[in-house]
CSV table of all heavy atoms in Angstrom, one decimal:
chain,number,residue,atom,x,y,z
A,90,ILE,N,-6.4,-2.4,-11.9
A,90,ILE,CA,-7.4,-1.8,-12.8
A,90,ILE,C,-7.0,-0.4,-13.1
A,90,ILE,O,-6.5,0.4,-12.3
A,90,ILE,CB,-8.8,-1.7,-12.0
A,90,ILE,CG1,-9.3,-3.1,-11.7
A,90,ILE,CG2,-9.8,-0.9,-12.8
A,90,ILE,CD1,-10.6,-3.2,-11.1
A,91,MET,N,-7.1,-0.1,-14.5
A,91,MET,CA,-6.6,1.2,-14.9
A,91,MET,C,-7.7,1.8,-15.8
A,91,MET,O,-8.7,1.1,-16.2
A,91,MET,CB,-5.4,1.1,-15.8
A,91,MET,CG,-4.2,0.5,-15.1
A,91,MET,SD,-2.8,0.7,-16.2
A,91,MET,CE,-1.6,-0.5,-15.5
A,92,GLY,N,-7.6,3.1,-16.1
A,92,GLY,CA,-8.5,3.7,-17.0
A,92,GLY,C,-8.6,5.2,-16.8
A,92,GLY,O,-8.0,5.7,-15.8
A,93,HIS,N,-9.4,5.9,-17.6
A,93,HIS,CA,-9.6,7.3,-17.4
A,93,HIS,C,-10.4,7.6,-16.2
A,93,HIS,O,-11.1,6.9,-15.7
A,93,HIS,CB,-10.4,7.8,-18.7
A,93,HIS,CG,-10.3,9.3,-18.8
A,93,HIS,ND1,-9.1,9.9,-19.3
A,93,HIS,CD2,-11.1,10.3,-18.6
A,93,HIS,CE1,-9.3,11.2,-19.4
A,93,HIS,NE2,-10.5,11.5,-19.0
A,94,VAL,N,-10.1,8.8,-15.6
A,94,VAL,CA,-10.7,9.3,-14.4
A,94,VAL,C,-12.3,9.3,-14.6
A,94,VAL,O,-12.8,9.6,-15.7
A,94,VAL,CB,-10.2,10.7,-14.0
A,94,VAL,CG1,-10.6,11.7,-15.1
A,94,VAL,CG2,-10.8,11.1,-12.7
A,95,ASP,N,-13.0,8.8,-13.6
A,95,ASP,CA,-14.4,8.8,-13.6
A,95,ASP,C,-15.0,7.7,-14.4
A,95,ASP,O,-16.3,7.6,-14.6
A,95,ASP,CB,-15.1,10.1,-14.0
A,95,ASP,CG,-15.1,11.1,-12.8
A,95,ASP,OD1,-14.8,10.7,-11.7
A,95,ASP,OD2,-15.3,12.3,-13.1
A,96,HIS,N,-14.2,6.8,-15.0
A,96,HIS,CA,-14.8,5.7,-15.8
A,96,HIS,C,-15.2,4.6,-14.9
A,96,HIS,O,-15.8,3.6,-15.4
A,96,HIS,CB,-13.8,5.3,-16.9
A,96,HIS,CG,-13.9,6.3,-18.1
A,96,HIS,ND1,-13.4,5.9,-19.3
A,96,HIS,CD2,-14.4,7.5,-18.2
A,96,HIS,CE1,-13.6,6.9,-20.2
A,96,HIS,NE2,-14.2,7.9,-19.5
A,97,GLY,N,-14.9,4.6,-13.6
A,97,GLY,CA,-15.4,3.6,-12.7
A,97,GLY,C,-14.4,2.7,-12.1
A,97,GLY,O,-14.8,1.6,-11.6
A,98,LYS,N,-13.1,3.0,-12.0
A,98,LYS,CA,-12.1,2.1,-11.5
A,98,LYS,C,-12.4,1.8,-10.0
A,98,LYS,O,-12.5,0.7,-9.6
A,98,LYS,CB,-10.7,2.8,-11.6
A,98,LYS,CG,-10.2,3.0,-13.0
A,98,LYS,CD,-8.8,3.6,-13.0
A,98,LYS,CE,-8.8,5.1,-12.4
A,98,LYS,NZ,-9.5,6.1,-13.3
A,99,THR,N,-12.6,2.9,-9.2
A,99,THR,CA,-12.9,2.7,-7.8
A,99,THR,C,-14.2,2.0,-7.6
A,99,THR,O,-14.2,1.1,-6.7
A,99,THR,CB,-12.9,4.1,-7.1
A,99,THR,OG1,-11.8,4.9,-7.6
A,99,THR,CG2,-12.8,4.0,-5.6
A,100,SER,N,-15.2,2.3,-8.3
A,100,SER,CA,-16.5,1.6,-8.1
A,100,SER,C,-16.4,0.2,-8.4
A,100,SER,O,-16.9,-0.7,-7.7
A,100,SER,CB,-17.5,2.3,-9.1
A,100,SER,OG,-17.6,3.6,-9.0
A,101,LEU,N,-15.6,-0.2,-9.4
A,101,LEU,CA,-15.4,-1.6,-9.8
A,101,LEU,C,-14.7,-2.3,-8.7
A,101,LEU,O,-15.1,-3.4,-8.3
A,101,LEU,CB,-14.7,-1.7,-11.1
A,101,LEU,CG,-14.8,-2.9,-12.0
A,101,LEU,CD1,-16.3,-3.2,-12.3
A,101,LEU,CD2,-14.0,-2.8,-13.3
A,102,LEU,N,-13.6,-1.7,-8.2
A,102,LEU,CA,-12.9,-2.3,-7.1
A,102,LEU,C,-13.7,-2.5,-5.9
A,102,LEU,O,-13.7,-3.5,-5.2
A,102,LEU,CB,-11.6,-1.4,-6.8
A,102,LEU,CG,-10.4,-1.6,-7.6
A,102,LEU,CD1,-9.5,-0.4,-7.4
A,102,LEU,CD2,-9.7,-2.9,-7.3
A,103,ASP,N,-14.6,-1.5,-5.6
A,103,ASP,CA,-15.4,-1.5,-4.4
A,103,ASP,C,-16.5,-2.6,-4.6
A,103,ASP,O,-16.8,-3.4,-3.6
A,103,ASP,CB,-16.1,-0.2,-4.2
A,103,ASP,CG,-15.2,0.8,-3.6
A,103,ASP,OD1,-14.1,0.5,-3.2
A,103,ASP,OD2,-15.5,2.0,-3.6
A,141,PRO,N,-5.8,2.1,-7.9
A,141,PRO,CA,-6.0,2.0,-9.3
A,141,PRO,C,-5.2,3.0,-10.1
A,141,PRO,O,-4.6,3.9,-9.4
A,141,PRO,CB,-7.5,2.3,-9.5
A,141,PRO,CG,-7.8,3.1,-8.3
A,141,PRO,CD,-6.9,2.7,-7.2
A,142,GLY,N,-5.1,2.9,-11.4
A,142,GLY,CA,-4.4,3.9,-12.2
A,142,GLY,C,-3.1,3.4,-12.6
A,142,GLY,O,-2.5,2.6,-12.0
A,163,VAL,N,-10.7,0.0,-17.8
A,163,VAL,CA,-12.1,0.3,-17.7
A,163,VAL,C,-12.3,1.5,-18.7
A,163,VAL,O,-11.6,2.5,-18.7
A,163,VAL,CB,-12.4,0.8,-16.3
A,163,VAL,CG1,-13.9,1.1,-16.2
A,163,VAL,CG2,-12.0,-0.3,-15.3
A,165,ALA,N,-15.8,3.9,-19.8
A,165,ALA,CA,-17.2,4.1,-19.6
A,165,ALA,C,-17.9,4.1,-20.9
A,165,ALA,O,-17.6,4.9,-21.8
A,165,ALA,CB,-17.4,5.4,-18.8
A,167,ASP,N,-20.7,5.3,-21.6
A,167,ASP,CA,-21.4,6.6,-21.9
A,167,ASP,C,-20.5,7.7,-22.2
A,167,ASP,O,-20.8,8.9,-22.4
A,167,ASP,CB,-22.3,7.0,-20.7
A,167,ASP,CG,-21.5,7.4,-19.5
A,167,ASP,OD1,-20.3,6.9,-19.4
A,167,ASP,OD2,-22.0,8.1,-18.6
A,192,ILE,N,-16.0,-2.7,-20.4
A,192,ILE,CA,-16.8,-1.6,-20.8
A,192,ILE,C,-17.9,-1.4,-19.8
A,192,ILE,O,-18.8,-2.2,-19.6
A,192,ILE,CB,-17.4,-1.9,-22.2
A,192,ILE,CG1,-16.3,-2.2,-23.2
A,192,ILE,CG2,-18.3,-0.7,-22.7
A,192,ILE,CD1,-16.8,-2.5,-24.6
A,193,ASN,N,-17.7,-0.3,-19.0
A,193,ASN,CA,-18.4,-0.1,-17.7
A,193,ASN,C,-19.6,0.9,-18.0
A,193,ASN,O,-19.8,1.5,-19.0
A,193,ASN,CB,-17.5,0.5,-16.7
A,193,ASN,CG,-18.1,0.6,-15.3
A,193,ASN,OD1,-18.9,-0.3,-15.0
A,193,ASN,ND2,-17.7,1.6,-14.5
A,194,LYS,N,-20.5,0.9,-17.0
A,194,LYS,CA,-21.6,1.8,-16.9
A,194,LYS,C,-22.7,1.4,-18.0
A,194,LYS,O,-23.4,2.3,-18.5
A,194,LYS,CB,-21.3,3.3,-17.1
A,194,LYS,CG,-20.2,3.7,-16.1
A,194,LYS,CD,-20.2,5.2,-16.0
A,194,LYS,CE,-18.9,5.7,-15.2
A,194,LYS,NZ,-18.9,7.1,-14.9
A,195,VAL,N,-22.7,0.1,-18.3
A,195,VAL,CA,-23.7,-0.3,-19.4
A,195,VAL,C,-25.1,-0.2,-18.9
A,195,VAL,O,-26.1,-0.3,-19.7
A,195,VAL,CB,-23.4,-1.7,-20.0
A,195,VAL,CG1,-22.1,-1.7,-20.8
A,195,VAL,CG2,-23.3,-2.7,-18.8
A,196,ASP,N,-25.3,0.0,-17.6
A,196,ASP,CA,-26.7,0.2,-17.0
A,196,ASP,C,-27.3,1.6,-17.4
A,196,ASP,O,-28.5,1.8,-17.4
A,196,ASP,CB,-26.6,0.1,-15.5
A,196,ASP,CG,-25.7,1.2,-14.9
A,196,ASP,OD1,-24.5,1.0,-14.9
A,196,ASP,OD2,-26.2,2.2,-14.4
A,197,LYS,N,-26.4,2.5,-17.9
A,197,LYS,CA,-26.9,3.8,-18.2
A,197,LYS,C,-27.6,3.8,-19.5
A,197,LYS,O,-27.2,3.2,-20.5
A,197,LYS,CB,-25.7,4.8,-18.3
A,197,LYS,CG,-25.2,5.2,-16.9
A,197,LYS,CD,-24.3,6.4,-17.1
A,197,LYS,CE,-24.1,7.2,-15.8
A,197,LYS,NZ,-23.3,8.4,-16.0
A,198,PRO,N,-28.7,4.6,-19.6
A,198,PRO,CA,-29.5,4.7,-20.9
A,198,PRO,C,-28.6,5.2,-22.0
A,198,PRO,O,-28.8,4.9,-23.2
A,198,PRO,CB,-30.6,5.6,-20.6
A,198,PRO,CG,-30.5,6.1,-19.2
A,198,PRO,CD,-29.4,5.4,-18.6
A,228,VAL,N,-19.8,-4.4,-18.4
A,228,VAL,CA,-20.1,-4.5,-17.0
A,228,VAL,C,-20.8,-3.3,-16.5
A,228,VAL,O,-20.9,-2.2,-17.1
A,228,VAL,CB,-18.8,-4.7,-16.2
A,228,VAL,CG1,-18.1,-6.0,-16.6
A,228,VAL,CG2,-17.9,-3.5,-16.3
A,229,SER,N,-21.3,-3.4,-15.3
A,229,SER,CA,-21.8,-2.3,-14.5
A,229,SER,C,-21.3,-2.4,-13.1
A,229,SER,O,-21.7,-3.4,-12.4
A,229,SER,CB,-23.3,-2.2,-14.5
A,229,SER,OG,-23.8,-1.3,-13.5
A,230,ALA,N,-20.6,-1.4,-12.6
A,230,ALA,CA,-20.1,-1.5,-11.3
A,230,ALA,C,-21.2,-1.1,-10.3
A,230,ALA,O,-21.1,-1.2,-9.1
A,230,ALA,CB,-18.9,-0.5,-11.1
A,231,LYS,N,-22.4,-0.6,-10.9
A,231,LYS,CA,-23.5,-0.3,-10.1
A,231,LYS,C,-24.4,-1.5,-9.8
A,231,LYS,O,-24.7,-1.8,-8.7
A,231,LYS,CB,-24.3,0.8,-10.8
A,231,LYS,CG,-25.2,1.6,-9.9
A,231,LYS,CD,-25.7,2.8,-10.7
A,231,LYS,CE,-26.8,3.5,-9.9
A,231,LYS,NZ,-27.6,4.5,-10.8
A,232,SER,N,-24.8,-2.2,-10.9
A,232,SER,CA,-25.7,-3.3,-10.8
A,232,SER,C,-25.0,-4.6,-10.6
A,232,SER,O,-25.6,-5.6,-10.2
A,232,SER,CB,-26.6,-3.4,-12.0
A,232,SER,OG,-25.9,-3.8,-13.1
A,233,GLY,N,-23.7,-4.6,-11.0
A,233,GLY,CA,-23.0,-5.9,-10.9
A,233,GLY,C,-23.0,-6.7,-12.1
A,233,GLY,O,-22.4,-7.8,-12.3
A,234,GLN,N,-23.8,-6.2,-13.1
A,234,GLN,CA,-23.9,-7.0,-14.4
A,234,GLN,C,-22.5,-7.2,-15.0
A,234,GLN,O,-21.6,-6.3,-15.0
A,234,GLN,CB,-24.7,-6.1,-15.4
A,234,GLN,CG,-24.9,-6.8,-16.8
A,234,GLN,CD,-25.4,-5.8,-17.8
A,234,GLN,OE1,-26.1,-4.8,-17.5
A,234,GLN,NE2,-25.0,-6.0,-19.1
A,236,ILE,N,-19.9,-8.8,-14.0
A,236,ILE,CA,-18.7,-8.8,-13.2
A,236,ILE,C,-18.2,-10.3,-13.0
A,236,ILE,O,-17.0,-10.5,-13.1
A,236,ILE,CB,-18.9,-8.1,-11.9
A,236,ILE,CG1,-19.0,-6.6,-12.3
A,236,ILE,CG2,-17.7,-8.3,-11.0
A,236,ILE,CD1,-18.9,-5.6,-11.2
B,510,GDP,P1,-12.7,6.4,-11.1
B,510,GDP,O1,-12.3,7.8,-11.2
B,510,GDP,O2,-12.3,5.7,-12.4
B,510,GDP,O3,-12.2,5.6,-9.9
B,510,GDP,O4,-14.3,6.4,-11.2
B,510,GDP,P2,-15.3,6.2,-10.0
B,510,GDP,O5,-15.4,4.8,-9.6
B,510,GDP,O6,-15.0,7.2,-8.9
B,510,GDP,O7,-16.7,6.5,-10.7
B,510,GDP,C1,-17.0,7.8,-11.2
B,510,GDP,C2,-18.5,8.0,-11.2
B,510,GDP,O8,-19.2,7.1,-12.0
B,510,GDP,C3,-19.1,7.8,-9.8
B,510,GDP,O9,-20.1,8.8,-9.6
B,510,GDP,C4,-19.7,6.4,-9.8
B,510,GDP,O10,-20.8,6.3,-9.0
B,510,GDP,C5,-20.1,6.4,-11.3
B,510,GDP,N1,-20.1,5.0,-11.8
B,510,GDP,C6,-19.1,4.1,-11.8
B,510,GDP,N2,-19.4,2.9,-12.3
B,510,GDP,C7,-20.7,3.0,-12.7
B,510,GDP,C8,-21.6,2.2,-13.4
B,510,GDP,O11,-21.4,1.0,-13.7
B,510,GDP,N3,-22.9,2.7,-13.6
B,510,GDP,C9,-23.3,3.9,-13.2
B,510,GDP,N4,-24.5,4.3,-13.5
B,510,GDP,N5,-22.4,4.8,-12.6
B,510,GDP,C10,-21.2,4.4,-12.4
Side-chain angles (χ1 to χ4, degrees):
I90 299 188
M91 302 189 194
H93 196 73
V94 62
D95 280 348
H96 279 195
K98 298 180 291 291
T99 314
S100 306
L101 205 55
L102 278 164
D103 286 348
V163 183
D167 66 337
I192 301 178
N193 190 31
K194 307 199 190 183
V195 290
D196 60 282
K197 283 194 159 184
V228 302
S229 165
K231 200 172 170 192
S232 71
Q234 180 195 331
I236 292 191

